[in-house]
Amino acid sequence: MASSANSNTTDEYQNILMMRHGDRIDKINPLWLDTASRPWDPPLVQDGLVRAFQTGQRIRSQIQFPIHRVFVSPFIRCVQTASEVIAALSAVDLNPHATSSKDVISMDKSKLKVSIEFGLSEMLNSMAIMPEVAPKDGKFDFKISDLEAMFPEGMVDHDVDPVYKEMPEWGETVEECTERFLGLVKTLADKYPSENLLLVTHGEGVRTTFATYKKVDTYDVEYCACAELRRKVSSQDGSTKAGGFEVMTSLGEVGIKYHSLTTTADK
């Protein structure tokens, strides 16, 4: 982080990356749903794992700040995505020809910590999850210990107190979902003002966050697309004050398509 200050005040920038998961199996092979025991929770296909790892490589090579902490939606496609990204970010002597975490021989486990956050979940309504696919009893039944075991060993922070202690209520409106994502971004940022965060979530989370802070109409978010936010954080005499978020483009805007106020932009 860059800082500038007089003797009593320090100004730094906090960075937040909001990332969509990789390619999910039910969109590639719709027949998967016919035999799936958890049809509301599709995993990634191999191409999705590769895309997630390559996105992690791109983040590592292009951004000018470290990622200190990763928060992840409990849906398995997000957990798998985050695991690949973490492997790319934490790899020691990363092989430029590596295509997935299986190619990573060793990781620096001191680089970052990861936690599951229910508030990053998919939009919980029939627009995002078809009624015939959603669990009939309304229980998504995520086994957090099993999901945490999918992350690299030693990198889960078990001391984190999640913002959302349980899943959001089924049947939320788009507006309620937007409030959830925007509120969560600010809450997590305020909770860790000296750390840069990666939030691995769903298309709606990236869409609404990018649209709000870019002040545009976002109409498409591709797999593993990232919205990059930054804000100034000032510390003075033990107190911290944060400014508003702005959208940054050190990763470009690859995979996010939007209408600006006057033109249509395909990025």
Side-chain angles (χ1 to χ4, degrees):
M1 291 186 180
S3 63
S4 61
N6 58 35
S7 58
N8 296 320
T9 304
T10 301
D11 291 339
E12 298 181 333
Y13 285 102
Q14 181 185 31
N15 302 276
I16 311 288
L17 294 182
M18 193 93 164
M19 177 182 175
R20 189 188 179 194
H21 57 77
D23 314 47
R24 47 192 282 183
I25 191 171
D26 58 326
K27 300 301 183 183
I28 306 299
N29 177 19
L31 294 178
W32 173 85
L33 290 168
D34 294 344
T35 57
S37 59
R38 293 171 56 84
W40 59 85
D41 195 19
L44 300 185
V45 293
Q46 181 61 32
D47 284 350
L49 295 171
V50 171
R51 189 195 298 265
F53 185 81
Q54 291 177 337
T55 302
Q57 289 177 308
R58 186 162 62 89
I59 291 172
R60 176 172 175 159
S61 65
Q62 293 184 17
I63 64 175
Q64 302 301 312
F65 52 84
I67 296 294
H68 300 103
R69 196 172 289 275
V70 182
F71 291 95
V72 188
S73 160
F75 285 80
I76 193 169
R77 56 190 180 273
C78 293
V79 174
Q80 291 176 312
T81 298
S83 186
E84 291 295 315
V85 172
I86 290 168
L89 293 177
S90 306
V92 177
D93 299 325
L94 182 62
N95 178 352
H97 302 295
T99 59
S100 77
S101 58
K102 294 180 180 179
D103 299 320
V104 175
I105 297 174
S106 64
M107 282 184 269
D108 181 352
K109 297 179 181 178
S110 68
K111 278 189 172 292
L112 55 83
K113 292 297 182 182
V114 59
S115 310
I116 299 290
E117 172 55 61
F118 285 118
L120 289 170
S121 294
E122 176 68 278
M123 181 166 59
L124 295 184
N125 60 33
S126 58
M127 293 175 61
I129 304 175
M130 295 182 296
E132 59 268 28
V133 168
K136 301 298 184 253
D137 58 3
K139 297 179 180 179
F140 286 82
D141 192 29
F142 291 113
K143 294 181 172 58
I144 299 303
S145 60
D146 290 349
L147 296 175
E148 290 177 339
M150 298 175 67
F151 296 125
E153 184 179 357
M155 301 188 80
V156 174
D157 190 343
H158 295 286
D159 294 327
V160 165
D161 186 26
V163 177
Y164 280 71
K165 308 297 189 292
E166 56 188 22
M167 290 288 287
E169 290 284 334
W170 174 261
E172 64 182 347
T173 65
V174 173
E175 291 74 20
E176 288 170 339
C177 181
T178 295
E179 290 178 7
R180 165 162 65 90
F181 280 119
L182 296 179
L184 183 64
V185 169
K186 187 175 188 309
T187 298
L188 289 173
D190 289 346
K191 194 173 182 180
Y192 304 96
S194 64
E195 300 184 31
N196 299 316
L197 311 180
L198 169 62
L199 313 182
V200 182
T201 184
H202 304 262
E204 184 62 19
V206 178
R207 185 201 68 77
T208 194
T209 302
F210 185 89
T212 298
Y213 292 111
K214 186 78 170 176
K215 295 182 173 58
V216 295
D217 176 21
T218 306
Y219 62 87
D220 187 39
V221 176
E222 296 177 2
Y223 292 128
C224 290
C226 293
E228 181 185 355
L229 307 177
R230 185 179 77 165
R231 68 175 184 173
K232 182 177 286 187
V233 178
S234 301
S235 300
Q236 183 175 17
D237 300 328
S239 64
T240 300
K241 182 178 180 181
F245 287 110
E246 58 179 331
V247 174
M248 305 301 293
T249 56
S250 62
L251 284 172
E253 293 167 5
V254 178
I256 299 179
K257 300 179 180 180
Y258 61 89
H259 298 293
S260 66
L261 294 178
T262 57
T263 61
T264 299
D266 289 359
K267 301 292 185 182

